[in-house]
Amino acid sequence: MFDYREFVRGKGIILAPLAGVSDAAFRQMCIEHGAQLTFTEMVSAKGLSYANEKTVHLIDMAPNEAYVGVQLFGHEPDTMASQAAWIEDHLGDRLAVIDVNMGCPARKIVSKGDGCALMKDLPLAESIVHSIVSAVSAPVTVKMRRAYDQGPDTAPELAKRAEAAGAAAVTVHGRYATQMYRGDSCWDVIAKVKKSVAIPVIGNGDIRCGADAIAMVEQTGCDSVMLARGAQGNPWIFQDVAWAFQEAGMASFCPPVARFELPNAYDRIDAARRQTMLLHERDPKSVVRMRKHASWYIKGLPGASAARAALNACTWADEFFQVYRDLEDAVARFEAENGPLEPVAPHSTREG
């Protein structure tokens, strides 16, 4: 059985819950490349309470997923608790952790009092955590931002309240909700939270490569790291971080990994092709999700601009596969004229 508490204290490498991104196919890709714990897309407690089919579908597991984290959003303690209990009953030992979303800055979420809006009502936030902890045996965690709006950092106080309510860990993203994803993530607030609580703290925000993960751990003292946008179109980041932790002697949980090698252009196209096939096998109609994923995979490649335009018209797997073949031809023509492309990760470092 998965021991979340041991895992999270041992420099675990986690895929964040990403709305519209971290479906089962993407999670399968990330696990294949070294993700040690994955989260479903965030799940509406209210939607689950109505037995909404689309909402329930979000917790379907990938074939290579022995366990999974589920993130709930909402603002009603009783509903959050009852639906957390339903998830635990539904997934059983495959449920690694229930996370409470107190960090989503999207307007449609915060306008209903959910997500990061809870950082403006700390007693309610604490009550939600306490209610869920009382309803389930699985570990309960909280993902938060620095604060809702610019000003004093709310995260340390919310973390202390979450700890008092029984949370097993907290995840801190170093931006204000009103920043959305603009500007740099402030890692100093992660360090502040780490000093304010005894439970593990997971760092999140602006990790785009293994070097960034090392820098975050060194600057903040965080126990584990959570990767979000840095993994979009770049599942190799998990192996990169695992290799960096191993080389730095930080990998107390992570099993030995092979030396990380940057993907070349054809590796990236192949990965897009594989994820397309995984989506097709689950539900042919869901392949349209690959429009954004494929665009992330191919960013910066010769012919990528024309390929993105073609991807936006794709509906079925065969149409995506034709775009990938055309892009491979474009890369081959470029290399014939200019020499081999250097392997490069789809994302730059925090400093770059």
Side-chain angles (χ1 to χ4, degrees):
M1 186 175 177
F2 181 69
D3 188 334
Y4 173 81
R5 291 173 175 83
E6 179 184 358
F7 163 78
V8 79
R9 289 190 182 279
K11 299 300 179 288
I13 306 168
I14 305 166
L15 171 66
L18 296 166
V21 175
S22 58
D23 57 27
F26 181 63
R27 299 199 309 271
Q28 182 170 346
M29 294 288 292
C30 292
I31 291 168
E32 289 173 356
H33 287 83
Q36 298 162 357
L37 175 63
T38 53
F39 273 86
T40 66
E41 301 173 64
M42 64 180 189
V43 177
S44 166
K46 183 68 76 175
L48 274 183
S49 72
Y50 292 145
N52 182 292
E53 186 175 341
K54 286 183 66 176
T55 303
V56 174
H57 182 68
L58 292 175
I59 62 174
D60 289 348
M61 295 183 67
N64 62 346
E65 219 164 22
Y67 40 80
V68 69
V70 177
Q71 186 187 71
L72 274 177
F73 73 92
H75 63 273
E76 299 168 335
D78 290 346
T79 302
M80 294 282 279
S82 65
Q83 297 316 302
W86 183 88
I87 290 170
E88 183 172 57
D89 183 66
H90 182 73
L91 292 177
D93 288 344
R94 297 175 299 168
L95 177 64
V97 58
I98 291 279
D99 186 72
V100 185
N101 185 323
M102 299 189 187
C104 180
R107 182 176 298 177
K108 67 179 182 180
I109 300 296
V110 300
S111 65
K112 297 176 182 178
D114 304 335
C116 209
L118 291 169
M119 297 194 75
K120 298 189 290 183
D121 189 342
L122 297 189
L124 174 59
E126 184 176 357
S127 175
I128 289 171
V129 177
H130 182 268
S131 294
I132 298 174
V133 169
S134 299
V136 300
S137 59
V140 177
T141 60
V142 177
K143 188 171 189 292
M144 64 188 70
R145 285 202 165 211
R146 181 178 184 178
Y148 183 81
D149 206 350
Q150 294 187 21
D153 293 333
T154 313
E157 178 61 24
L158 176 55
K160 287 189 283 189
R161 285 176 175 263
E163 180 179 37
V170 294
T171 300
V172 183
H173 178 102
R175 287 183 176 87
Y176 301 107
T178 51
Q179 274 185 275
M180 299 296 287
Y181 298 98
R182 297 183 297 271
D184 290 335
S185 175
C186 175
W187 291 355
D188 287 346
V189 72
I190 302 173
K192 290 179 183 178
V193 172
K194 178 62 181 171
K195 292 176 181 176
S196 70
V197 295
I199 56 175
V201 174
I202 302 161
N204 172 234
D206 289 0
I207 298 177
R208 302 188 181 95
C209 64
D212 288 343
I214 293 291
M216 176 181 279
V217 171
E218 291 178 343
Q219 290 179 33
T220 70
C222 65
D223 299 277
S224 287
V225 294
M226 181 176 282
L227 313 183
R229 289 182 299 153
Q232 292 177 171
N234 185 23
W236 300 276
I237 192 173
F238 294 97
Q239 186 186 357
D240 188 2
V241 173
W243 171 254
F245 280 174
Q246 182 172 290
E247 289 296 282
M250 294 181 177
S252 56
F253 175 86
C254 178
V257 296
R259 182 181 181 85
F260 173 67
E261 301 290 345
L262 288 168
N264 62 34
Y266 300 101
D267 293 331
R268 290 162 62 182
I269 298 170
D270 279 343
R273 183 181 288 113
R274 171 156 172 72
Q275 190 171 331
T276 302
M277 180 56 71
L278 292 175
L279 275 171
H280 172 77
E281 290 171 348
R282 295 185 71 87
D283 177 7
K285 293 181 180 178
S286 72
V287 174
V288 293
R289 280 177 164 249
M290 277 306 299
R291 292 175 180 175
K292 59 188 172 187
H293 284 278
S295 295
W296 292 326
Y297 276 115
I298 68 175
K299 184 178 180 181
L301 296 182
S305 180
R308 280 195 298 273
L311 287 167
N312 287 332
C314 291
T315 303
W316 304 103
D318 287 346
E319 296 168 340
F320 283 92
F321 295 148
Q322 183 59 56
V323 175
Y324 302 148
R325 288 192 291 269
D326 292 343
L327 183 59
E328 286 172 329
D329 290 343
V331 171
R333 288 193 299 270
F334 179 91
E335 292 188 325
E337 296 175 6
N338 301 281
L341 286 165
E342 288 291 325
V344 61
H347 301 282
S348 63
T349 65
R350 175 182 167 91
E351 291 77 21

